[in-house]
Amino acid sequence: MPEQGREPADAQREHWQRTYAGHPRMYGEAPSAAAVHAAAVFRVAGAEDVLELGAGHGRDALYFAGCGFAVRAVDFSSAGLDQLVERAAELGLGSSVSVLVHDVRRPLPLPDRSVDAVFAHLLMCMALSTPEIRQLADEVRRVLRPGGTFVYTVRHTGDAHYGAGTAHGDDIFEHGGFAVHFFDRALVDALAEGWELREVHAFEEGDLPRRLWRITQTLPGGAAPGAGGG
């Protein structure tokens, strides 16, 4: 990735570290609606373990663990993951959750075909270049077992903040200190090549509100997760 592309991503890592440290459990205790949906999809698919990318302080990871999944939570903020570990211990879920500080611009430090399901709420649309997003999708495919399920959410080009704030190129715009790569449908379809695209569901979240897509796709070789088309 060119240096000018790396700068916003590196700055975002520092920004999120400060944000989590200064605002413990900033997203609250309740899971995201996307995680609630994903847990139901994973259960129907027969998944036993879940890899969450961009877990933050862990509200969704803790929900998955509470649903009976073994969870591996990955984030580039140690401050967020420290809060996750602390809360997991308080809830008696420490044995169900493992954490890993990792920058998803690098290959995932997991073996091939080692997880049943992957979840990423708003991680794919952070300050990542299109090549890095494609590389991450390839990594998700590598670590999933045949028939594995990937559920992710992204802000899209219909969002009110698309085109606003500081432009970093490649459909990345920074607003209020947070940089977002806004997805168009062509990028969603490109990331689903070689997968079975089960759903592209439009929804809204937050006060703005943010406009998002929830994408469900599965690898060939296993039972379908039962998500409807969208």
Side-chain angles (χ1 to χ4, degrees):
M1 178 181 180
E3 279 303 311
Q4 65 266 29
R6 281 201 177 275
E7 291 171 2
D10 291 335
Q12 286 294 291
R13 178 169 51 188
E14 297 170 4
H15 180 71
W16 278 103
Q17 183 79 347
R18 292 192 302 269
T19 298
Y20 282 129
H23 305 277
R25 299 177 186 172
M26 60 183 287
Y27 292 113
E29 300 288 332
S32 67
V36 174
H37 172 85
V41 171
F42 297 158
R43 188 179 296 111
V44 170
E48 296 181 357
D49 52 23
V50 176
L51 169 65
E52 183 183 356
L53 303 175
H57 64 74
R59 61 175 180 149
D60 291 339
L62 293 170
Y63 177 75
F64 291 134
C67 290
F69 297 103
V71 182
R72 307 181 202 189
V74 174
D75 201 278
F76 62 6
S77 169
S78 59
L81 292 179
D82 286 346
Q83 294 168 32
L84 167 52
V85 170
E86 179 183 7
R87 187 58 177 154
E90 292 171 356
L91 295 172
L93 296 171
S95 62
S96 297
V97 179
S98 61
V99 301
L100 176 66
V101 178
H102 180 73
D103 188 331
V104 296
R105 291 178 293 168
R106 299 195 303 272
L108 296 172
L110 296 172
D112 296 357
R113 302 185 174 193
S114 58
V115 296
D116 293 329
V118 178
F119 176 73
H121 183 37
L122 295 174
L123 181 278
M124 300 288 284
C125 64
M126 293 190 68
L128 302 171
S129 69
T130 296
E132 286 175 330
I133 291 169
R134 287 176 175 269
Q135 176 180 305
L136 178 54
D138 288 342
E139 280 294 288
V140 170
R141 178 171 185 157
R142 179 183 66 78
V143 302
L144 272 174
R145 298 185 179 101
T149 308
F150 182 26
V151 176
Y152 71 96
T153 65
V154 292
R155 294 173 74 176
H156 59 72
T157 52
D159 187 277
H161 279 160
Y162 176 65
T166 303
H168 292 287
D170 199 14
D171 279 340
I172 299 173
F173 295 89
E174 183 176 342
H175 190 275
F178 296 95
V180 175
H181 188 137
F182 293 89
F183 274 47
D184 59 19
R185 181 56 194 259
L187 181 53
V188 171
D189 290 341
L191 297 183
E193 292 178 2
W195 300 69
E196 297 175 9
L197 182 59
R198 298 289 178 181
E199 179 187 50
V200 180
H201 172 73
F203 70 106
E204 296 182 346
E205 182 180 80
D207 296 330
L208 186 59
R210 294 177 295 186
R211 294 178 178 171
L212 300 95
W213 285 324
R214 184 187 69 222
I215 295 97
T216 302
Q217 56 193 54
T218 61
L219 285 179

